[in-house]
Amino acid sequence: MASLARKIIIDTDPGQDDAVAILLALASPEDLDVLGITAVAGNVPLDLTQKNARIICELAGKADVKVFAGCDRPLGRDLVTAEHVHGKTGLDGPDLPDPKMPLQGQHAVDFIIDTLRAERSGTVTLCPLGPLTNIATALQKAPDIAQRIQQIVLMGGAYFEVGNITPTAEFNIYVDPEAADITFKSGIDIVVMPLDVTHKALVTRARNDAFRDLGTPAGIAVAQMTDFFERFDKEKYGSAGAPLHDPCVTAYLIKPELFTGRHVNVEIETQSELTLGMTVADWWGVTDRAPNATFIGDLDADGFFALLAERIGRL
Ligand code: BDR
Ligand code: CA
């Protein structure tokens, strides 16, 4: 019998929250078939994000997952990184061994293109968890893939929360606004996990304990990772703990009923120095611009953390 698991490619810049998103996907084979993981420069430079992706696969006991390195800088700008949030390695917190599994030789962008052309049209979902450079480069290089993509479910942007890396921009969109603009104008079915929802997915002390109490290497590492990067958010926002931004993407693919949002128009600011990378979401429907994305605004946080603990407990 054919597998009912949804085929996905995770495009990522790990990042502790990326790591949790990947662990959730790898722990859920009945729901998600991870065709490959493509690394992009973002939270830290590409040499570290591709290495971190492999560290996480090994932590999950899935050394057979294919990991590819992609673009090492945004389409037309210098790379901005976020070591102030994620630490020097991008995965600060746990002490995890260097990976033994190989990095694939093929460029991530070519893997994305080849996979979309080889799989039946409309059966592969892209899950970007970092700047959209690999995705936009693939769309530019092979425009035929746009209509073959089932859906893009991404973490990025903000409306009510406005911004985190600048007063008006969220990090993933800000780092490569031109790539985001290409993606949002592509006509592909897009679901967005903005800060508006991810700032409600907070690791409280009890939720952190639930990960640690799993007693497994993966559970303990997740507790240590969130311990590390909650310092930043606690200090900045006075919040209860670390927001698990990127796991909202993989949780949505497993249990969409945990999330609610609106189908609205989203445009990306690429010109203004003041508001560069802003996601101008027409949440209130005050323009006649056509909706191009489902913008998520809320989640069942208890259900989300229950799912995470249950699935990560399997690894
Ligand atoms: C996003 O930026 C990164 O720091 C996180 O991994 C997440 O993808 C949140 O703004
Ligand atoms: Ca990320």
Side-chain angles (χ1 to χ4, degrees), residues 13 17-18 43 82 86 129 155 164 170-172 195 245-246:
D13 62 337
D17 61 319
D18 301 70
N43 286 322
H86 300 276
L129 310 178
M155 191 280 138
N164 58 359
E170 181 279 330
F171 179 79
N172 290 341
L195 297 178
H245 306 284
D246 295 338

Side-chain angles (χ1 to χ4, degrees), residues 71-141:
C71 299
D72 64 0
R73 75 193 67 158
L75 296 185
R77 296 174 187 272
D78 292 338
L79 177 65
V80 175
T81 53
E83 285 88 355
H84 61 296
V85 183
H86 300 276
K88 220 160 80 118
T89 66
L91 263 195
D92 280 19
D95 191 13
L96 297 169
D98 278 354
K100 293 195 188 72
M101 62 183 276
L103 178 68
Q104 300 295 309
Q106 190 180 24
H107 193 283
V109 168
D110 294 324
F111 169 73
I112 292 170
I113 294 170
D114 286 358
T115 305
L116 283 162
R117 285 177 176 164
E119 296 288 341
R120 195 158 54 78
S121 184
T123 64
V124 177
T125 292
L126 303 182
C127 304
L129 310 178
L132 289 155
T133 320
N134 285 345
I135 308 301
T137 305
L139 289 170
Q140 282 184 319
K141 197 170 171 187

Side-chain angles (χ1 to χ4, degrees), residues 153-206:
V153 183
L154 67 88
M155 191 280 138
Y159 177 68
F160 294 97
E161 293 283 309
V162 200
N164 58 359
I165 187 75
T166 75
T168 57
E170 181 279 330
F171 179 79
N172 290 341
I173 307 295
Y174 177 78
V175 172
D176 200 342
E178 284 75 20
D181 189 43
I182 290 168
T183 306
F184 277 84
K185 288 198 169 116
S186 66
I188 299 163
D189 179 359
I190 298 178
V191 178
V192 186
M193 294 292 161
L195 297 178
D196 307 340
V197 63
T198 69
H199 279 172
K200 294 172 183 159
L202 293 177
V203 185
T204 58
R205 184 48 36 206

